[in-house]
Amino acid sequence: MKQGVMATGGYKEQTTGWPGLSVRTVSQFTFAMYLYFILDFFLRFPARIPGYGSLRPTLLVVAFISLLLFAQRNKLKGRFEDPIFKSIFVLLGYIVFSLPLVEWPGSVVRGSIDPFIKAVVFLFFTALIIDTERRLKWFVGVFVFCQVFRTLEPLFLHVTQGYWGSATHLGGGDFAARLAGAPADVINPNELGFVIVTAIPFLHYLLWPMGWKSKCLYMAIMPAMFYALILTMSRGAFIALLVVAFLVFKESRHKMGLIVMAVVLVVAAFSVMTPIQKDRYLSLVDSDTKGAATAEGRLRGMVGEFKLGLTRPVVGHGLGTTPEAKFHKLGRTKASHNLYAELMIELGLIGFVIFLWFLYQIARKLSVVRSQFQVLTKQVQCYYSRLNKCLIAVFWMYAVYSLNYWGLSQYYWYLFGGLVIAFGRLVALEQNGFSDQTEGKSSHRSKVTSRYPLAERIR
């Protein structure tokens, strides 16, 4: 295999010699702009900086990064051959070609295309820009930092100022306060719970196995994350946390220690819960609690949403039209509380199958990546193996949480899919002997002989 090296944008770049596939990296400036976009999106700069929002920064940054990638399109050859990319292209094509057949095409064009595109760009940007091990670590670090910050900020306001941000109806005219996102971060308690359970697997797998400093940081952050989760009173997030805990337990070699730790955490959690909080979480398993009525109502609502989807089972009502469909046919306009029901309502059975195929390709990629670790160097294998376990936990947590959370036009599945594409590609490059490219130097590891073309291994 021939390997060419050239310096561009401060990075050493390589080409494989295989037709149609390049491993050249995009510019450092493009990567920096994407990190800025991540910070801007998750930390809500427009809500924090007076006058900043009037500049339409999200739209401008998305357009600018898109132009940068278009200008460097010669470096992206072959990257769109990934099966996850192909499934997204099928989904996009289906949405376009089914538009004349849905019930409310005008609503799709007027108000639904924009949020969907803003969500899908996370897949493209992450998959195309995160193209070295160093960039992968930076991106994961910045993403997790944002989720931890979004959790600790409202918790700090709660402890120091009594901030809650939301409330829930208990029945009989009674309400209970629930912790939501900070004033600048417009997310409700269930969404804050989602943020928390997204961050926890990353913290566990990427901090705890490291040195004592990382362990101290882990021990400082995790109790605060759990306490914030209790204050949200999000039952869906609690179930998602149980999914993560099960996968951590399944992978661990220290199962007895984890059991002891789980018992300690449960006792500590119940000791700080109010009677209302205990009642709400116990309502998941006890039908005699006050919260059981709301839990049962949520289940009835999910069933009703699936029935609504079956009123137009082939192509659905149209992208983003769940509130409109629910208003006209169920008499209420709340967003779907179930991604899978949302898919049926908006995209019909065909779109439902295509989106599940997208999720299947993500899961399959994570399985393929795990099988490639044995040929990597020990140092690289350590980080990649921990990240792979983390991503598997996040995948199944997302899959379960989606029973209680919408997501077709939300960022999380698309960012995750892009991260899996980038991660799989980097592991394949390491496996085939293409070293990570770091700023200011070129490091060449020994190549691994393979009978298969690099392009096939990346797929």
Side-chain angles (χ1 to χ4, degrees):
M1 181 186 298
K2 296 182 180 179
Q3 184 172 335
V5 181
M6 61 184 70
T8 302
Y11 268 77
K12 300 297 181 181
E13 299 178 348
Q14 300 171 328
T15 55
T16 65
W18 292 102
L21 180 67
S22 171
V23 294
R24 299 170 63 194
T25 61
V26 299
S27 69
Q28 178 71 356
F29 180 69
T30 306
F31 174 66
M33 286 301 302
Y34 187 43
L35 287 188
Y36 174 78
F37 174 65
I38 292 293
L39 290 168
D40 174 78
F41 180 85
F42 287 113
L43 301 186
R44 313 293 185 189
F45 288 168
R48 299 176 186 274
I49 304 173
Y52 180 73
S54 62
L55 301 176
R56 302 293 300 276
T58 301
L59 179 63
L60 289 176
V61 175
V62 167
F64 187 50
I65 294 175
S66 300
L67 288 174
L68 288 173
L69 289 174
F70 180 77
Q72 302 171 81
R73 59 191 180 277
N74 60 310
K75 300 178 181 180
L76 308 178
K77 292 179 179 179
R79 298 193 188 185
F80 294 105
E81 295 301 313
D82 190 281
I84 300 176
F85 261 133
K86 290 180 178 179
S87 62
I88 279 294
F89 288 136
V90 172
L91 179 65
L92 295 174
Y94 169 74
I95 290 173
V96 171
F97 288 111
S98 66
L99 182 60
L101 305 176
V102 301
E103 186 163 6
W104 293 300
S107 298
V108 175
V109 174
R110 285 194 303 270
S112 302
I113 295 294
D114 182 58
F116 180 72
I117 291 176
K118 287 180 180 178
V120 173
V121 294
F122 278 98
L123 185 144
F124 287 87
F125 288 173
T126 305
L128 298 178
I129 296 174
I130 311 305
D131 51 11
T132 70
E133 180 187 341
R134 184 181 182 187
R135 290 177 178 179
L136 176 67
K137 291 179 177 179
W138 266 98
F139 175 79
V140 170
V142 170
F143 172 74
V144 175
F145 165 79
C146 290
Q147 311 317 309
V148 172
F149 182 88
R150 297 173 77 191
T151 303
L152 298 185
E153 183 182 22
L155 180 62
F156 175 79
L157 294 175
H158 169 77
V159 172
T160 58
Q161 303 176 25
Y163 173 83
W164 285 98
S166 185
T168 189
H169 184 244
L170 300 176
D174 295 327
F175 288 83
R178 298 175 63 184
L179 187 67
D185 192 6
V186 188
I187 51 175
N188 63 37
N190 289 328
E191 291 171 310
L192 179 58
F194 176 79
V195 169
I196 295 169
V197 293
T198 294
I200 285 175
F202 287 97
L203 294 173
H204 178 77
Y205 283 110
L206 301 184
L207 280 184
W208 182 252
M210 302 299 288
W212 67 269
K213 292 182 180 179
S214 295
K215 283 181 169 62
C216 289
L217 182 60
Y218 176 90
M219 295 300 293
I221 293 176
M222 290 297 273
M225 302 289 283
F226 287 132
Y227 184 53
L229 182 60
I230 291 172
L231 297 179
T232 66
M233 292 200 293
S234 173
R235 290 172 295 200
F238 178 72
I239 293 174
L241 178 63
L242 293 180
V243 173
V244 173
F246 170 76
L247 292 170
V248 169
F249 179 80
K250 180 174 175 290
E251 292 283 348
S252 176
R253 293 175 296 176
H254 308 286
K255 289 182 171 54
M256 184 55 65
L258 287 177
I259 292 174
V260 173
M261 183 182 296
V263 172
V264 172
L265 286 175
V266 169
V267 172
F270 265 80
S271 68
V272 300
M273 285 185 189
T274 66
I276 292 176
Q277 291 165 349
K278 291 178 182 178
D279 179 274
R280 184 168 176 87
Y281 287 113
L282 288 173
S283 68
L284 290 168
V285 294
D286 189 351
S287 60
D288 293 329
T289 59
K290 289 183 179 180
T294 58
E296 185 179 349
R298 178 65 61 85
L299 290 174
R300 287 198 302 268
M302 291 180 185
V303 173
E305 289 175 352
F306 274 108
K307 289 181 178 178
L308 173 59
L310 293 175
T311 60
R312 287 186 63 86
V314 181
V315 295
H317 297 79
L319 178 69
T321 60
T322 295
E324 189 171 355
K326 292 177 75 172
F327 174 76
H328 287 293
K329 299 182 180 182
L330 300 180
R332 56 183 185 270
T333 59
K334 288 185 178 179
S336 174
H337 281 294
N338 188 304
L339 167 64
Y340 308 108
E342 179 187 24
L343 290 170
M344 284 294 298
I345 293 170
E346 299 185 5
L347 302 184
L349 184 59
I350 298 175
F352 179 87
V353 171
I354 294 173
F355 195 89
L356 289 189
W357 182 251
F358 163 63
L359 301 188
Y360 166 76
Q361 292 298 340
I362 293 175
R364 182 174 178 273
K365 173 72 71 173
L366 290 172
S367 177
V368 170
V369 167
R370 172 173 283 192
S371 69
Q372 297 172 338
F373 287 152
Q374 65 271 17
V375 299
L376 304 183
T377 63
K378 191 170 183 179
Q379 181 181 4
V380 173
Q381 184 182 119
C382 179
Y383 176 76
Y384 281 178
S385 177
R386 288 185 286 117
L387 182 58
N388 185 257
K389 291 177 181 178
C390 171
L391 294 178
I392 290 173
V394 173
F395 173 86
W396 288 111
M397 183 273 290
Y398 278 179
V400 172
Y401 203 90
S402 292
L403 291 168
N404 188 51
Y405 199 61
W406 64 95
L408 181 56
S409 295
Q410 299 293 312
Y411 76 89
Y412 66 98
W413 271 124
Y414 306 109
L415 186 149
F416 186 79
L419 181 58
V420 171
I421 293 173
F423 177 51
R425 180 174 176 274
L426 289 174
V427 171
L429 291 176
E430 288 283 352
Q431 183 189 22
N432 284 270
F434 287 88
S435 62
D436 182 30
Q437 298 116 40
T438 55
E439 191 169 1
K441 66 179 182 178
S442 176
S443 172
H444 297 277
R445 298 192 185 103
S446 60
K447 299 175 186 175
V448 179
T449 304
S450 173
R451 292 178 301 167
Y452 304 100
L454 177 61
E456 290 299 317
R457 302 302 291 268
I458 290 179
R459 295 177 198 172

